[in-house]
PDB file of all heavy atoms in Angstrom:
ATOM      1  N   LYS A1320     -47.214-143.395  48.334  1.00  0.00           N
ATOM      2  CA  LYS A1320     -47.520-142.042  47.857  1.00  0.00           C
ATOM      3  C   LYS A1320     -48.617-141.393  48.684  1.00  0.00           C
ATOM      4  O   LYS A1320     -48.530-140.216  49.068  1.00  0.00           O
ATOM      5  CB  LYS A1320     -47.932-142.088  46.381  1.00  0.00           C
ATOM      6  CG  LYS A1320     -46.789-142.310  45.411  1.00  0.00           C
ATOM      7  CD  LYS A1320     -47.278-142.175  43.975  1.00  0.00           C
ATOM      8  CE  LYS A1320     -46.131-142.202  42.996  1.00  0.00           C
ATOM      9  NZ  LYS A1320     -46.577-142.003  41.589  1.00  0.00           N
ATOM     10  N   LEU A1321     -49.668-142.151  48.976  1.00  0.00           N
ATOM     11  CA  LEU A1321     -50.795-141.589  49.726  1.00  0.00           C
ATOM     12  C   LEU A1321     -50.390-141.213  51.152  1.00  0.00           C
ATOM     13  O   LEU A1321     -50.928-140.269  51.720  1.00  0.00           O
ATOM     14  CB  LEU A1321     -51.950-142.591  49.746  1.00  0.00           C
ATOM     15  CG  LEU A1321     -52.618-142.867  48.399  1.00  0.00           C
ATOM     16  CD1 LEU A1321     -53.673-143.962  48.542  1.00  0.00           C
ATOM     17  CD2 LEU A1321     -53.250-141.594  47.833  1.00  0.00           C
ATOM     18  N   ALA A1322     -49.442-141.951  51.727  1.00  0.00           N
ATOM     19  CA  ALA A1322     -49.033-141.691  53.109  1.00  0.00           C
ATOM     20  C   ALA A1322     -48.406-140.309  53.273  1.00  0.00           C
ATOM     21  O   ALA A1322     -48.408-139.764  54.381  1.00  0.00           O
ATOM     22  CB  ALA A1322     -48.061-142.774  53.575  1.00  0.00           C
ATOM     23  N   THR A1323     -47.894-139.735  52.199  1.00  0.00           N
ATOM     24  CA  THR A1323     -47.272-138.411  52.320  1.00  0.00           C
ATOM     25  C   THR A1323     -48.301-137.344  52.658  1.00  0.00           C
ATOM     26  O   THR A1323     -47.946-136.289  53.195  1.00  0.00           O
ATOM     27  CB  THR A1323     -46.551-138.026  51.012  1.00  0.00           C
ATOM     28  OG1 THR A1323     -47.501-137.956  49.944  1.00  0.00           O
ATOM     29  CG2 THR A1323     -45.483-139.049  50.662  1.00  0.00           C
ATOM     30  N   PHE A1324     -49.580-137.600  52.381  1.00  0.00           N
ATOM     31  CA  PHE A1324     -50.629-136.634  52.691  1.00  0.00           C
ATOM     32  C   PHE A1324     -51.178-136.820  54.103  1.00  0.00           C
ATOM     33  O   PHE A1324     -51.910-135.969  54.608  1.00  0.00           O
ATOM     34  CB  PHE A1324     -51.775-136.766  51.681  1.00  0.00           C
ATOM     35  CG  PHE A1324     -51.342-136.550  50.251  1.00  0.00           C
ATOM     36  CD1 PHE A1324     -51.086-137.623  49.415  1.00  0.00           C
ATOM     37  CD2 PHE A1324     -51.163-135.265  49.749  1.00  0.00           C
ATOM     38  CE1 PHE A1324     -50.670-137.429  48.099  1.00  0.00           C
ATOM     39  CE2 PHE A1324     -50.751-135.059  48.441  1.00  0.00           C
ATOM     40  CZ  PHE A1324     -50.502-136.138  47.621  1.00  0.00           C
ATOM     41  N   ASP A1325     -50.833-137.920  54.746  1.00  0.00           N
ATOM     42  CA  ASP A1325     -51.341-138.244  56.080  1.00  0.00           C
ATOM     43  C   ASP A1325     -50.404-137.668  57.136  1.00  0.00           C
ATOM     44  O   ASP A1325     -49.610-138.374  57.746  1.00  0.00           O
ATOM     45  CB  ASP A1325     -51.468-139.771  56.222  1.00  0.00           C
ATOM     46  CG  ASP A1325     -52.007-140.192  57.575  1.00  0.00           C
ATOM     47  OD1 ASP A1325     -52.429-139.308  58.360  1.00  0.00           O
ATOM     48  OD2 ASP A1325     -52.001-141.411  57.855  1.00  0.00           O
ATOM     49  N   THR A1326     -50.507-136.362  57.365  1.00  0.00           N
ATOM     50  CA  THR A1326     -49.628-135.706  58.336  1.00  0.00           C
ATOM     51  C   THR A1326     -49.970-136.092  59.765  1.00  0.00           C
ATOM     52  O   THR A1326     -49.132-135.971  60.659  1.00  0.00           O
ATOM     53  CB  THR A1326     -49.709-134.173  58.180  1.00  0.00           C
ATOM     54  OG1 THR A1326     -51.077-133.763  58.313  1.00  0.00           O
ATOM     55  CG2 THR A1326     -49.183-133.740  56.817  1.00  0.00           C
ATOM     56  N   TRP A1327     -51.187-136.564  60.001  1.00  0.00           N
ATOM     57  CA  TRP A1327     -51.574-137.000  61.348  1.00  0.00           C
ATOM     58  C   TRP A1327     -50.727-138.199  61.773  1.00  0.00           C
ATOM     59  O   TRP A1327     -50.236-138.274  62.896  1.00  0.00           O
ATOM     60  CB  TRP A1327     -53.059-137.365  61.361  1.00  0.00           C
ATOM     61  CG  TRP A1327     -53.541-137.897  62.681  1.00  0.00           C
ATOM     62  CD1 TRP A1327     -53.516-137.249  63.878  1.00  0.00           C
ATOM     63  CD2 TRP A1327     -54.132-139.180  62.911  1.00  0.00           C
ATOM     64  NE1 TRP A1327     -54.053-138.057  64.863  1.00  0.00           N
ATOM     65  CE2 TRP A1327     -54.436-139.242  64.303  1.00  0.00           C
ATOM     66  CE3 TRP A1327     -54.435-140.270  62.109  1.00  0.00           C
ATOM     67  CZ2 TRP A1327     -55.025-140.365  64.888  1.00  0.00           C
ATOM     68  CZ3 TRP A1327     -55.038-141.387  62.685  1.00  0.00           C
ATOM     69  CH2 TRP A1327     -55.330-141.426  64.060  1.00  0.00           C
ATOM     70  N   SER A1328     -50.528-139.152  60.873  1.00  0.00           N
ATOM     71  CA  SER A1328     -49.737-140.339  61.199  1.00  0.00           C
ATOM     72  C   SER A1328     -48.244-140.094  61.032  1.00  0.00           C
ATOM     73  O   SER A1328     -47.427-140.686  61.737  1.00  0.00           O
ATOM     74  CB  SER A1328     -50.167-141.520  60.320  1.00  0.00           C
ATOM     75  OG  SER A1328     -51.510-141.850  60.536  1.00  0.00           O
ATOM     76  N   SER A1329     -47.866-139.234  60.091  1.00  0.00           N
ATOM     77  CA  SER A1329     -46.470-138.871  59.856  1.00  0.00           C
ATOM     78  C   SER A1329     -45.569-140.097  59.788  1.00  0.00           C
ATOM     79  O   SER A1329     -44.621-140.253  60.560  1.00  0.00           O
ATOM     80  CB  SER A1329     -45.983-137.910  60.955  1.00  0.00           C
ATOM     81  OG  SER A1329     -44.747-137.340  60.625  1.00  0.00           O
ATOM     82  N   LEU A1330     -45.873-140.978  58.851  1.00  0.00           N
ATOM     83  CA  LEU A1330     -45.127-142.221  58.710  1.00  0.00           C
ATOM     84  C   LEU A1330     -44.000-142.075  57.693  1.00  0.00           C
ATOM     85  O   LEU A1330     -44.093-141.311  56.734  1.00  0.00           O
ATOM     86  CB  LEU A1330     -46.064-143.338  58.243  1.00  0.00           C
ATOM     87  CG  LEU A1330     -47.215-143.711  59.165  1.00  0.00           C
ATOM     88  CD1 LEU A1330     -48.189-144.635  58.438  1.00  0.00           C
ATOM     89  CD2 LEU A1330     -46.699-144.373  60.440  1.00  0.00           C
ATOM     90  N   ALA A1331     -42.949-142.836  57.913  1.00  0.00           N
ATOM     91  CA  ALA A1331     -41.907-143.009  56.908  1.00  0.00           C
ATOM     92  C   ALA A1331     -42.167-144.362  56.247  1.00  0.00           C
ATOM     93  O   ALA A1331     -42.095-145.392  56.906  1.00  0.00           O
ATOM     94  CB  ALA A1331     -40.530-142.977  57.555  1.00  0.00           C
TER      95      ALA A1331
END
Side-chain angles (χ1 to χ4, degrees):
K1320 285 187 172 183
L1321 293 175
T1323 62
F1324 301 99
D1325 181 8
T1326 56
W1327 177 60
S1328 299
S1329 192
L1330 298 169

